[in-house]
Amino acid sequence: EPINETRVVYTLLIHEHSTIELFTARPDGSDERQLTRTANSYELQPGVSPSGKQIVFVGSEQDATGATVSSLWLMDSDGQNRTLLATQPGVIYERPVWSPDGRYIAYDANIPDDAGDASNNLFIYDTTTGESTRLSQGPPNKRFPSWSREGAALIFSQVSDDSHTQGLFRLTIASREISMFFDSSAEETQPVVSPDGLRVAFVSFPEDTPE
């Protein structure tokens, strides 16, 4: 049955099998459990549903030609009922995250648009219909979505026209409008909105300083 307690889900490299698998443990590190066991494949970037009953994650493996095959997967929080959500030749999927109501999964991927451009853009997958919707088009790359508390918008990172560095932007789901959220002379990326919606954590790379 799905796990019904507060736990941490994380990735771990299994050296003897050359795989990266998903594990879960209690916050104090006890009761570690391995959730996936997939030879010659990596399981990456897990995201736990608001109910705690399901986990979405990225799969990555190499085909017979040596090319990387990326995919989106869903499973119960105990590792059972693994289901493929999306895969497409040449497409790399990143950062799947659940909407606050648990219906949608946002992610970014380099799926070509109608003009043939394969920049990373934002998508949402509807778990009730099994359909994905493109939310943005064209360059620059738009990556690492995180949901606003009310589920009406995504905070993500892309290169700013003003600073020419990565900044944080906001995409309103209903209108598809993109606006600046935070930008500086540093590189801001990988935003995560807090559960109360009042704060955003992110990774920052300061601009190079002359020696």
Side-chain angles (χ1 to χ4, degrees):
E1 295 181 357
I3 296 171
N4 188 27
E5 64 176 349
T6 300
R7 299 181 68 87
V8 178
V9 179
Y10 55 94
T11 60
L12 186 65
L13 173 63
I14 310 298
H15 292 280
E16 59 267 33
H17 300 299
S18 298
T19 63
I20 296 177
E21 305 287 358
L22 298 183
F23 283 74
T24 182
R26 294 187 175 123
D28 63 3
S30 65
D31 191 30
E32 183 179 68
R33 305 180 194 178
Q34 185 172 346
L35 297 179
T36 60
R37 292 175 173 81
T38 311
N40 303 315
S41 178
Y42 292 171
E43 277 78 33
L44 307 163
Q45 303 177 35
V48 181
S49 67
S51 69
K53 294 181 178 180
Q54 293 180 298
I55 298 172
V56 64
F57 61 94
V58 173
S60 180
E61 59 185 323
Q62 290 187 331
D63 63 17
T65 68
T68 298
V69 178
S70 180
S71 50
L72 282 180
W73 293 84
L74 185 67
M75 67 181 180
D76 293 342
S77 60
D78 61 359
Q80 300 301 306
N81 298 318
R82 178 168 171 156
T83 303
L84 178 65
L85 300 185
T87 188
Q88 188 172 329
V91 171
I92 302 297
Y93 299 89
E94 287 186 326
R95 186 71 175 277
V97 286
W98 295 84
S99 62
D101 63 3
R103 174 172 176 173
Y104 299 98
I105 298 168
Y107 61 94
D108 71 77
N110 61 334
I111 299 174
D113 59 19
D114 294 339
D117 180 85
S119 299
N120 282 58
N121 273 282
L122 304 178
F123 298 79
I124 53 173
Y125 176 89
D126 188 335
T127 61
T128 63
T129 65
E131 297 181 352
S132 288
T133 300
R134 176 187 285 268
L135 298 180
S136 63
Q137 301 279 343
N141 287 325
K142 303 165 186 66
R143 302 176 66 192
F144 309 118
S146 183
W147 290 88
S148 63
R149 180 186 179 186
E150 73 282 1
L154 297 172
I155 305 298
F156 65 98
S157 65
Q158 74 169 40
V159 173
S160 167
D161 290 336
D162 296 329
S163 67
H164 303 291
T165 61
Q166 285 191 94
L168 304 184
F169 289 75
R170 176 187 174 96
L171 182 145
T172 302
I173 303 286
S175 66
R176 309 292 197 267
E177 180 182 355
I178 293 176
S179 57
M180 174 65 68
F181 184 77
F182 179 78
D183 188 30
S184 72
S185 58
E187 302 272 355
E188 291 90 25
T189 186
Q190 302 184 42
V192 178
V193 180
S194 64
D196 62 10
L198 299 178
R199 295 175 175 86
V200 177
F202 59 92
V203 175
S204 178
F205 298 94
E207 63 177 334
D208 294 335
T209 56
E211 295 182 358

